[in-house]
Amino acid sequence: MSSATPGTLITVAPTGAEHRKQDVPNLPVTLEELTRTAQDCGRVGASMIHIHIRDEHAQPTLDLGRLKDTVAAVRECSNLIVQLSTGGAVTDPESDRLAVLDALPDSASCTMGTVNFGDDVFLNRWGFIVELHKRMQERRIVPEYEIFDLGQLTTLRRLLDQHGLPAGGHVHLDLVMGVPGGMPGDTETLAAALRWIPEGATFSATGVGRTTLPVLLASLSAGGHVRVGMEDTLSYAKGDPVRDNAQLVARAAGLARIAQRPPIGPEESRVLLGVAS
Ligand code: KMH
Ligand code: ZN
């Protein structure tokens, strides 16, 4: 872990692939809703956006044309680092998940192993991981390595040992905690993960559901960065649904300031991650 950056990189994950628009009317699913979200979240402290897109029926899709339009539109309306999900939905085939990279985002997620995901399985074979990593190296896309369980940190080390550093030369990962089937979202587990994070890497952490706040606070205290958003939680507090993504970003930014690690902007975040300006 690097202690050179005192500030906090805040990523917003506004949509995800799991929530249904009919259940969550304020979930941003159209391009217009997404660009407005990017602007609102940028204003209150986000510097990267982790994007899953939806089709005209608000269903998750990896349609390449839509992904390209989305990358262009978010770049046009904001200065946020554009990260596309290659995780997609649990039902997405590997071929479609690899093709996401043809939309040429600044960054893309790259999950380090298979995990039970609620009642489903989020499948990430070793061969698929290697292919994602190599294609990102070729296209100069900066990966964010998604870690759902501690063993996936050893897979990350194996990947870097065998296939080299990612584009930009810096390793950044996100601990996705509290998924039913993955590692718990608590301070003890975050502290255990620190031991296995590759030397010189930076990390962010995401707490799913009710682990959002404990993970946010633990990551800030451990020198980590944070990801928040409606992909990961729909509850702001007990009995209090999330109003919008900017509300979650604003809370994370406020806590980062209290921790004396204020949010860093997109330019500083690009330097941190090795994303070309
Ligand atoms: N939707 C999950 C199955 C990612 O974006 O890379 C996978 C996910 C991880 O959200
Ligand atoms: Zn995601």
Side-chain angles (χ1 to χ4, degrees):
M1 182 192 71
S2 165
S3 56
T5 303
T8 303
L9 189 167
I10 300 178
T11 300
V12 62
T15 309
E18 283 72 38
H19 306 303
R20 300 189 314 168
K21 180 74 168 173
Q22 62 256 50
D23 299 332
V24 189
N26 53 344
L27 193 72
V29 297
T30 66
L31 194 49
E32 209 225 314
E33 288 167 343
L34 188 67
T35 51
R36 200 174 337 115
T37 297
Q39 291 174 317
D40 292 346
C41 292
R43 265 193 290 274
V44 292
S47 55
M48 180 150 76
I49 184 164
H50 167 87
I51 298 175
H52 292 250
I53 64 165
R54 301 290 176 102
D55 66 15
E56 64 276 23
H57 306 295
Q59 297 301 314
T61 179
L62 294 180
D63 178 80
L64 188 55
R66 271 182 186 263
L67 285 167
K68 287 181 176 169
D69 290 347
T70 303
V71 170
V74 177
R75 282 194 178 133
E76 174 74 25
C77 79
S78 80
N79 195 22
L80 299 185
I81 299 170
V82 178
Q83 180 183 93
L84 290 182
S85 166
T86 67
V90 289
T91 44
D92 285 321
E94 290 180 352
S95 54
D96 290 357
R97 292 172 60 192
L98 288 167
V100 166
L101 302 176
D102 296 335
L104 298 180
D106 303 311
S107 171
S109 57
C110 183
T111 295
M112 285 298 104
T114 296
V115 64
N116 282 318
F117 196 84
D119 294 341
D120 298 307
V121 176
F122 180 30
L123 190 65
N124 295 283
R125 296 181 305 111
W126 170 247
F128 174 68
I129 292 170
V130 170
E131 192 58 33
L132 267 179
H133 179 75
K134 285 187 177 165
R135 290 195 193 192
M136 280 194 238
Q137 285 173 324
E138 284 161 15
R139 290 164 178 72
R140 310 300 301 160
I141 297 168
V142 172
E144 179 176 83
Y145 300 106
E146 307 280 333
I147 308 294
F148 287 76
D149 218 337
L150 293 187
Q152 295 183 7
L153 284 165
T154 58
T155 301
L156 174 58
R157 286 164 170 264
R158 179 183 175 206
L159 183 72
L160 299 171
D161 284 349
Q162 292 186 10
H163 298 282
L165 287 171
H170 176 73
V171 177
H172 180 73
L173 57 94
D174 184 41
L175 303 169
V176 186
M177 311 182 76
V179 169
M183 63 183 147
D186 56 33
T187 302
E188 294 90 330
T189 307
L190 190 136
L194 296 184
R195 185 164 165 226
W196 300 103
I197 289 177
E199 186 67 33
T202 49
F203 75 96
S204 164
T206 307
V208 171
R210 67 186 58 176
T211 73
T212 290
L213 267 176
V215 168
L216 174 58
L217 294 166
S219 189
L220 286 173
S221 74
H225 303 279
V226 297
R227 178 179 113 179
V228 293
M230 294 174 72
E231 171 168 347
D232 305 312
T233 187
L234 297 173
S235 164
Y236 187 75
K238 200 168 175 199
D240 186 4
V242 169
R243 190 184 59 230
D244 57 24
N245 281 283
Q247 183 189 29
L248 293 169
V249 173
R251 176 171 67 180
L255 291 169
R257 286 192 191 93
I258 289 169
Q260 301 290 297
R261 299 198 39 235
I264 56 174
E267 282 319 317
E268 198 175 337
S269 299
R270 281 187 167 78
V271 173
L272 176 78
L273 300 179
V275 172
S277 290

